[in-house]
Amino acid sequence: MNGKERIRVLLADDQPLFRDGLATALRLHDDELEVVGETGDGKEAIRKSIELRPDIVVMDTHIGDTNGLAAAKEMIRANPNVHVLFLTAADDDASVLEAMKAGARGYILKGSDKEDMLRAIGVVSRGEAIFGAPIARKLATYFEAAATDGKKPSFEETFPALTEREQDVLELICSGLANEEIARRINVSIKTVRNHVSNVLNKLQVEDRAQAVALVRGSGERGAAR
């Protein structure tokens, strides 16, 4: 492994044949990946994500009687360092957008080839985001339609990985406010603002405030009030 730590993966899918096949495929790459757990139950998936502390949870949007989107929210709330990749047959607009709101870092369809799945796991484990080509087209169509209708997507829709307070800070950054002014606006200390700004930059995968503003402008978002 050349000293490189393996990506710890938890698989959560209620179709045993599919889950077993995916686990087998991942174990062929045991120099890069380690399957630390498998489950077909949503509640157990939440428990295992807390106990096993995987780098990434690969899961379906529905696991038995459990809503996978709600389960993802609970996993991320319990462990903000875990990354969720949805691997599912559901490609309707509502499921995709709800997955983004739940904090998922990726969303690809079952039936994607093995190379796409492995690439998605690698990308998401690094904290980056990835969506399969069909899903990316859906998102592009959604945001284009929203822009045409004059309904700009909210910060929550566009940047679901950010907490509500981080979205507030990002909006104030885009308004050109310095940290001291942001601290006064949201009634917190300068140190707290700095922490929020750092978290925002890390989650958006940008190096500085200017890049964050450019990213927001490129998304079509203009800091509309939620």
Side-chain angles (χ1 to χ4, degrees):
M1 291 189 294
N2 298 323
K4 180 180 177 181
E5 291 187 6
R6 292 184 294 176
I7 300 169
R8 294 167 51 80
V9 183
L10 171 64
L11 301 179
D13 193 292
D14 61 3
Q15 297 178 2
L17 288 177
F18 179 83
R19 189 177 68 246
D20 291 346
L22 180 57
T24 298
L26 296 185
R27 288 189 175 107
L28 293 176
H29 299 267
D30 61 2
D31 57 329
E32 302 173 3
L33 306 169
E34 178 185 5
V35 178
V36 296
E38 303 175 42
T39 181
D41 179 80
K43 292 181 179 178
E44 185 178 3
I46 296 171
R47 180 179 61 77
K48 284 192 172 185
S49 75
I50 296 171
E51 290 180 358
L52 300 175
R53 312 291 286 187
D55 300 307
I56 179 172
V57 179
V58 180
M59 62 189 298
D60 203 338
T61 50
H62 286 87
I63 310 174
D65 296 329
T66 303
N67 183 322
L69 302 171
K73 286 183 179 179
E74 191 163 341
M75 291 175 184
I76 295 168
R77 184 164 50 245
N79 176 17
N81 293 321
V82 72
H83 302 304
V84 175
L85 169 64
F86 281 113
L87 179 57
T88 178
D91 66 346
D92 57 287
D93 293 353
S95 293
V96 176
L97 292 173
E98 286 302 314
M100 293 175 67
K101 292 178 183 179
R105 288 286 184 173
Y107 195 110
I108 62 175
L109 298 179
K110 289 181 175 178
S112 300
D113 59 38
K114 185 177 72 173
E115 288 72 21
D116 285 343
M117 290 185 187
L118 292 172
R119 184 166 65 91
I121 289 173
V123 169
V124 171
S125 70
R126 295 193 297 270
E128 302 171 20
I130 189 169
F131 296 88
I135 302 305
R137 286 194 291 271
K138 279 181 174 290
L139 292 174
T141 300
Y142 169 78
F143 287 118
E144 286 170 4
T148 301
D149 293 341
K151 299 176 182 177
K152 292 177 177 134
S154 68
F155 269 43
E156 182 180 3
E157 292 172 322
T158 312
F159 304 110
L162 302 183
T163 66
E164 185 173 352
R165 180 48 63 107
E166 288 165 356
Q167 291 166 17
D168 291 337
V169 170
L170 177 58
E171 186 168 348
L172 294 172
I173 289 173
C174 291
S175 298
L177 273 61
N179 286 352
E180 293 78 6
E181 296 170 300
I182 293 174
R184 285 195 292 271
R185 286 285 188 95
I186 62 177
N187 196 28
V188 297
S189 69
I190 295 292
K191 181 179 179 181
T192 299
V193 171
R194 288 181 185 138
N195 288 338
H196 285 317
V197 171
S198 178
N199 288 338
V200 167
L201 299 183
N202 286 333
K203 290 182 178 181
L204 297 186
Q205 297 290 300
V206 295
E207 295 182 1
D208 53 35
R209 298 161 74 105
Q211 288 187 9
V213 173
L215 180 63
V216 170
R217 289 175 178 168
S219 74
E221 174 59 59
R222 294 295 184 273
R226 291 183 298 277

